[in-house]
Amino acid sequence: MTPEERLKSLGLVLPKVPTPVANYVPFKIDGRTIYLSGQGPRKPDGKLVTGRVGEEISVEQAYECARLVGLGLLAAAKLAAGDLGKVEALKLLGMVNAVPGFTDQPKVINGCSDLFVEVLGDRGRHARSAVGMGSLPSNMPVEIEAIMRIVD
């Protein structure tokens, strides 16, 4: 099954790649390596989800936010590679905007990691870091950046 077929079977649609809000690009390619800029969770209408984990956002809601970010990263990867079937995830950096003392960052970032494996299969398995932040831009609960590779 192709990644696009997996997306369809999950009832998911890749969003439009958001236009950067500052002086950067959604991705940069070096040889076969794709560096994807950090993204926050966007609803299907494009509106950014906001709130702090452990305050306005629960761990379960934050997991879903990370899943939304994963869809956005897959959309950018597809734009970069031309086909999700040519993409392999290498590394994620997941940042969680949470209250002091919050320690469930890995549970949150699993939303993106799980999605990558569901859509890309073994090519979705990756190295990763999941860290807590005192704040994130626009008060988004999660920001994730990724490094991927274009494969034959």
Side-chain angles (χ1 to χ4, degrees), residues 98-125:
V99 296
F102 183 81
T103 59
D104 283 334
Q105 294 87 352
K107 288 181 183 177
V108 172
I109 303 306
N110 280 345
C112 183
S113 295
D114 292 347
L115 176 74
F116 279 13
V117 173
E118 289 172 31
V119 173
L120 300 175
D122 282 339
R123 287 187 178 169
R125 298 193 186 286

Side-chain angles (χ1 to χ4, degrees), residues 41-120:
R42 294 189 178 278
K43 297 177 185 176
D45 65 4
K47 185 176 178 188
L48 188 66
V49 178
T50 61
R52 205 163 180 200
V53 182
E55 208 168 65
E56 304 95 344
I57 305 281
S58 69
V59 171
E60 296 77 19
Q61 290 169 317
Y63 175 97
E64 292 302 322
C65 286
R67 196 167 169 87
L68 286 174
V69 175
L71 280 174
L73 290 168
L74 289 174
K78 180 178 180 179
L79 184 62
D83 178 358
L84 275 182
K86 295 180 177 180
V87 170
E88 178 181 14
L90 299 177
K91 174 90 168 62
L92 292 183
L93 169 58
M95 298 162 276
V96 180
N97 175 13
V99 296
F102 183 81
T103 59
D104 283 334
Q105 294 87 352
K107 288 181 183 177
V108 172
I109 303 306
N110 280 345
C112 183
S113 295
D114 292 347
L115 176 74
F116 279 13
V117 173
E118 289 172 31
V119 173
L120 300 175

